[in-house]
Amino acid sequence: MKEEILSRLTNVVFYESTDSTNVQAKRLAEEGAENKLVVVAETQTAGRGRKGRDWSSPPGKNLYFSLMLRPDFAPDKASMLTIVMAVAVKRAINDVACVQIKWPNDIVADGKKLAGILTEMHMDAGAIKDVVIGVGINVKNQDFPEDISRTATSLEAVFGKQIARADLLEKILYHFDEAYKCFLLTYDLSGLLAEYNACLANKNREVRVLDPAGEFGGVAKGINEKGELLVQTKEGNMVAVYAGEVSVRGIYGYV
Ligand code: BTN
C-alpha cells in the first residue's frame, strides 16, 4: 500500500505503525505541517474511536488515515466537517456499491458498521489551530474483536469484491475536496443536505436520543444545514439534536 499511496498522492506521510493517525497528525500540525496533510498507517497501536472507545487496527486489512486542515472559520463550524467527510466516504464507496450513513458519521451496510470518523479540533486563543478528521474503514474480510463482531463488517465481506486500499483513499480525498468546496460556499451543509439525507439510515425510523438532559424517543427526519438530526417527538415537536448518542431500532439494535 505504501508505494501506491506515495506515488499517487502529495502531502501524505505513511507509517507502517503509529499509535493513532489522529494523534500523529496533531503532532505534525504542531511541527508546522501544511494544510491538508494526510497521515496514513498500516496499523495503529492505539487507534481511537468516538467516546473514548478503541478502534481495532490490525495491519494488512483496513484503511486508517487522518486529514489535517487549517480552516479559518469559527470553531463552532468544525463539527460539520465530520458530515462533509461522511459524504466523501459514502461517494467513494458508492463506486463499488450502495451504503448508508448512520448519523452523524458511521458508514453502514446490511445494518453493520463499515467505517467510522473521528474529528478532533485543536484551538488557540479561541481560534482553530487545526482540525484532524480521522477515518477508519474495514476493507478486507476479517475476524473482528468479540465486542464488535455482531455490529461490524468490511467492504469485501459485504460486496464480495477485492478493493485496493490506495484506490479507495485516493477517491475519498478527491470526493472530500469536492464536498469541502461545496461546504465553503455557505459554511454550512446546505449544498450536501439532500445527498446526506437520501442515504441516512436513520431516516423515518424510530430513534432514542440519549440526551444527558433526559432520554427521549421520536422519529428521525433528516439533518438540517448545521448537521443536527431533526427528531419528531410523539407530541409532534421537532427537536434538533446537536450531538450525543442516538440509537436507532434495527441499526446495531438499541445500544
Ligand atoms: C468511530 O468511533 O466510529 C470513529 C473511528 C475512527 C477511527 C479512525 S482510524 C484513523 C484515525 N485514527 C484514530 O485513532 N482514529 C481514527
Side-chain angles (χ1 to χ4, degrees):
M1 173 161 76
K2 179 179 178 182
E3 285 69 32
E4 280 175 284
I5 286 177
L6 295 180
S7 63
R8 289 193 218 173
L9 300 168
T10 52
N11 204 15
V12 57
V13 285
F14 182 94
Y15 298 90
E16 288 300 337
S17 176
T18 189
D19 48 0
S20 152
T21 56
N22 268 32
V23 174
Q24 184 58 12
K26 174 180 184 257
R27 285 189 204 109
L28 295 173
E30 277 166 3
E31 289 167 16
E34 260 179 67
N35 183 37
K36 292 201 172 172
L37 175 75
V38 179
V39 178
V40 190
E42 182 64 59
T43 182
Q44 300 181 115
T45 54
R48 304 190 307 186
R50 293 172 68 231
K51 303 189 182 299
R53 295 175 189 136
D54 293 337
W55 187 259
S56 165
S57 308
K61 295 173 183 294
N62 300 326
L63 187 56
Y64 318 109
F65 74 93
S66 300
L67 171 65
M68 189 276 289
L69 299 177
R70 297 187 183 280
D72 57 7
F73 46 70
D76 66 338
K77 309 240 176 273
S79 66
M80 287 187 268
L81 295 177
T82 297
I83 303 248
V84 177
M85 182 58 90
V87 169
V89 173
K90 189 258 327 172
R91 284 183 189 172
I93 295 177
N94 270 5
D95 286 355
V96 183
C98 209
V99 289
Q100 290 186 302
I101 301 175
K102 174 184 176 281
W103 182 83
N105 60 358
D106 286 358
I107 306 294
V108 299
D110 289 351
K112 290 186 173 185
K113 181 160 166 170
L114 276 172
I117 302 169
L118 176 67
T119 299
E120 298 179 295
M121 172 171 67
H122 309 108
M123 292 179 38
D124 187 24
I128 297 180
K129 273 205 299 191
D130 60 80
V131 178
V132 174
I133 311 169
V135 181
I137 305 182
N138 302 327
V139 179
K140 312 263 171 209
N141 291 321
Q142 59 193 285
D143 296 323
F144 290 100
E146 175 74 30
D147 56 330
I148 56 167
S149 60
R150 281 182 304 116
T151 55
T153 190
S154 67
L155 283 174
E156 291 193 359
V158 177
F159 305 122
K161 288 183 189 167
Q162 293 242 322
I163 288 157
R165 291 173 291 165
D167 286 349
L168 186 60
L169 175 62
E170 196 175 10
K171 282 183 183 153
I172 293 170
L173 294 173
Y174 166 77
H175 287 300
F176 182 86
D177 266 347
E178 297 295 301
Y180 191 45
K181 271 186 229 154
C182 178
F183 169 82
L184 291 175
L185 293 175
T186 52
Y187 291 99
D188 69 20
L189 299 167
S190 41
L192 301 170
L193 253 189
E195 181 180 355
Y196 184 95
N197 284 334
C199 62
L200 184 63
N202 316 56
K203 195 158 176 202
N204 292 326
R205 297 180 78 155
E206 208 182 300
V207 295
R208 285 213 67 77
V209 179
L210 312 178
D211 188 328
E215 199 175 312
F216 63 94
V219 175
K221 290 297 179 189
I223 60 164
N224 63 15
E225 71 290 345
K226 289 190 268 183
E228 297 164 332
L229 185 68
L230 299 171
V231 177
Q232 187 162 39
T233 64
K234 57 178 183 307
E235 294 78 30
N237 301 324
M238 198 65 93
V239 181
V241 180
Y242 170 67
E245 194 69 61
V246 169
S247 62
V248 187
R249 199 184 285 279
I251 302 244
Y252 322 153
Y254 265 171
V255 284

